[in-house]
Amino acid sequence: MGARVLVVEDAEAIRAAVVAGLTGAGYDASGCADGRDLESELAGYRPDLVVLDVMLPGRDGFALLDVVRRHSDAGVVMLTARDGVDDRLRGLHGGADDYVVKPFVLAELVARVTAVLRRMGRTPSTVAVGDLLVDAAAGSVLRGGTPIDLTATELRLLDYLAAQRGRVVSKGQILTRVWGYTDYDPNLVEVHISALRRKLGEPRLLHTVRGLGYVLRAEPEPARRPDNAEPEPAPRPEPS
């Protein structure tokens, strides 16, 4: 498992979705509904990062941020519906590492968590997908031990897909995360996906999910019967 991430969020649906998204990205994620026992959670679970909602029952996120800073060296990503500049500055000046405003795209939150953990040195920069190894920080991509030469844009694209490995991402999400805008021609994504797919080679790792987007994953090979295995007998008809 990867770095430990504690999600403190009172909305059950949001908490479950964030925990599932972080787990799918390779993190050891756990959730709690409030910060009532945060001190013991920090001592027992020892998270590398806390995703901390501001609007919580009892002690709010700003009070809990102070608890994290006094009892742990974990990173903190604040999560809240408050989008005022004063609230963001209060959290950042209080020691938060990043601030995500609701409603949010789960992929963006996972990417921000990853970015904070990388800055802290709490997560390895190399991601493995089958026999593909991606280390964007070092500019290194290996497939089966053989280096693959990518352009800077292709490397950013592959790094994003590797961070979201196993999850389908849309063209819009790719445009936002790789190019920084959503108003580019979606054909731009298709062109780079096609070029990246050719360079990654076979067996295919970069798949198109019709109508949804793209996913980077290692497909399991179908089971093969040994050459000397006897063929399975045909089923016998039931007696009438």
Side-chain angles (χ1 to χ4, degrees), residues 62 81-93 99 101:
F62 297 120
R82 293 177 171 176
D83 59 356
V85 173
D86 289 344
D87 282 331
R88 290 201 297 272
L89 291 177
R90 182 181 174 188
L92 294 172
H93 288 163
Y99 207 106
V101 177

Side-chain angles (χ1 to χ4, degrees), residues 11 29-30 61 92 100 132 135 141 148 165:
S30 179
L92 294 172
V100 178
L132 176 70
D135 187 347
V141 178
I148 298 176
R165 59 198 178 280

Side-chain angles (χ1 to χ4, degrees), residues 138-154:
S140 171
V141 178
L142 301 175
R143 179 84 195 266
T146 301
I148 298 176
D149 186 25
L150 301 180
T151 67
T153 300
E154 289 167 349

Side-chain angles (χ1 to χ4, degrees), residues 147-208:
I148 298 176
D149 186 25
L150 301 180
T151 67
T153 300
E154 289 167 349
L155 182 59
R156 288 199 309 272
L157 173 58
L158 182 58
D159 183 42
Y160 174 65
L161 293 170
Q164 304 301 319
R165 59 198 178 280
R167 301 180 66 245
V168 178
V169 292
S170 69
K171 290 180 182 177
Q173 289 173 311
I174 292 173
L175 283 169
T176 299
R177 298 304 302 168
V178 177
W179 280 272
Y181 298 95
T182 58
D183 55 354
Y184 280 121
D185 186 345
N187 289 333
L188 185 67
V189 176
E190 296 177 10
V191 169
H192 283 81
I193 287 285
S194 179
L196 185 57
R197 184 178 282 148
R198 285 196 303 271
K199 290 186 177 182
L200 294 181
E202 298 292 339
R204 179 173 291 190
L205 294 174
L206 182 48
H207 308 274
T208 300

Side-chain angles (χ1 to χ4, degrees), residues 21-36:
L22 290 167
T23 301
Y27 295 113
D28 179 354
S30 179
C32 58
D34 56 51
R36 190 177 311 165

